[in-house]
Amino acid sequence: MVMQVRGYAAHSTTSPLGLFSFVRRDPRPNDVVIDIEFAGVCHSDIHNVRNDWGNAKHPMVPGHEIIGRVTAVGRAVTRFKHGDHVGVGCMVDSCQHCKPCAQGLEQYCENGNTLTYNDVDPHDGTPTYGGYSESIVVSEKFVVKVPKNLSPAAAAPLLCAGITTWSPLRHWKVGPGSKVAVVGLGGLGHMAIKLAKALGADVTLFSRSPGKEEDAQRLGARHVVLSTSAEQMQDVSGQFDLIIDTVPYVHDLNPYVATLAMSGTLVLVGYLGPLQDMLDTAPLVVSRKAVTGSAIGGIAETQEMLDFCGLHGITSDIELIDMQSINEAYERMLKSDVKYRFVIDIASLRREAAAA
Ligand code: NAP
Ligand code: ZN
């Protein structure tokens, strides 16, 4: 059985995304076949398409915030059945035997995990294609259950924006009494605020954009600090136990380190690469502050986050778009003009594909 699938692909770093036909593999014994309903649009999709990280493989079908229905399962699959509502995030495989994998930290797999798109399947050497498509075939270990009470479209961003902010909140044991700050109110930032608040933390937003105060407060932030105001930054000096920095591009970390409390930690989840402004180590030594990073989250942790969201009724604030609007959505995201995550209705792709 050859499964011919339509998706939207970028053929180069500069070409707009457009309709693309490709083949999904026959399900292996452990595979789940999923009809995709919704796919979130992550800033990483733009980084990947435009080769910001130097490893772009085109044609590229982005998308790693996937929600859909199971349509078939391999004979060894035990956890899923036809009709289940499921999610797939940033990874579709990992070695399963290294120390991080054994600890449920597949995102740090020592032998290299397999990303949902822009990667190569380790078993058959074919390219991985992501969620901007009609269906996907994924090993059941990398499929998670989506709580029934969550809107499927608004739950899609939990698969990346949700888990990427949940993982550091949990690792640094955020709870009642914690003072957490979030840098940047975009897809990741707005989920960080919601999740930190639901965990009981006192939450502050750092934003360079005036006008986001009301939204930030509605999402759960008690304070909003305009990061371009030296005076406002000074007012929160030495306050935070944990800062989650979601800014996608190079920026000066020193002003944020100054707002950490003793033993506080600044976690980068956005920018990857060298810094331009020198990082002053004095506050790190004198006040035992730390600057570190964090990548997505493990599969068990993703399920934990989804269950928590189910319990607390947490989803993403989304703008539902048609597949055909993806190029415009990228331009808007680059201007931080999205409240607060674009999600693609894959039915619009099916309609276009049927008419083509
Ligand atoms: P997004 O929706 O575009 O939000 C980023 C926010 O950062 C913007 O809303 C803006 O907030 C702020 N910002 C944007 N450009 C900036 C600049 N030049 N200087 C200062 N602030 C800026 O992006 P996202 O989808 O949340 O993703 C954020 C980053 O996380 C991306 O780099 C993405 O690749 C990365 N990511 C990492 C992981 C991981 O595993 N670590 C997973 C997913 C995504 P304000 O307007 O409020 O300032
Ligand atoms: Zn992402």
Side-chain angles (χ1 to χ4, degrees), residues 41-45 64-65 90 117 159-161 164 188 296 341:
V41 181
C42 180
H43 206 110
S44 302
D45 299 348
H64 59 205
E65 295 184 335
C90 303
Y117 69 89
L159 276 306
C160 174
T164 302
L188 267 58
I296 40 177
R341 196 59 140 187

Side-chain angles (χ1 to χ4, degrees), residues 43-44 47 185 187-188 207-209 212 246 269 294 296 341:
H43 206 110
S44 302
H47 289 309
L185 188 60
L188 267 58
S207 175
R208 64 189 172 145
S209 312
K212 289 188 173 178
T246 75
V269 294
S294 182
I296 40 177
R341 196 59 140 187

Side-chain angles (χ1 to χ4, degrees), residues 271-289:
Y271 176 64
L272 300 179
L275 295 173
Q276 284 169 353
D277 299 277
M278 282 213 251
L279 183 64
D280 182 359
T281 64
L284 309 188
V285 175
V286 172
S287 302
R288 202 169 58 188
K289 297 179 180 182

Side-chain angles (χ1 to χ4, degrees), residues 28-77:
R28 300 172 188 142
N30 293 307
D31 277 344
V32 175
V33 183
I34 302 163
D35 252 8
I36 300 176
E37 294 175 334
F38 299 102
V41 181
C42 180
H43 206 110
S44 302
D45 299 348
I46 302 180
H47 289 309
N48 276 312
V49 163
R50 303 197 175 176
N51 200 25
D52 289 349
W53 295 326
N55 64 344
K57 299 175 201 37
H58 295 97
M60 185 189 301
V61 178
H64 59 205
E65 295 184 335
I66 300 169
I67 296 272
R69 289 246 180 228
V70 174
T71 55
V73 294
R75 60 186 148 73
V77 168

Side-chain angles (χ1 to χ4, degrees), residues 249-254 268 271 273-279 291:
Y249 300 99
V250 68
H251 56 291
D252 186 6
L253 303 185
N254 294 298
L268 295 164
Y271 176 64
L275 295 173
Q276 284 169 353
D277 299 277
M278 282 213 251
L279 183 64
V291 175

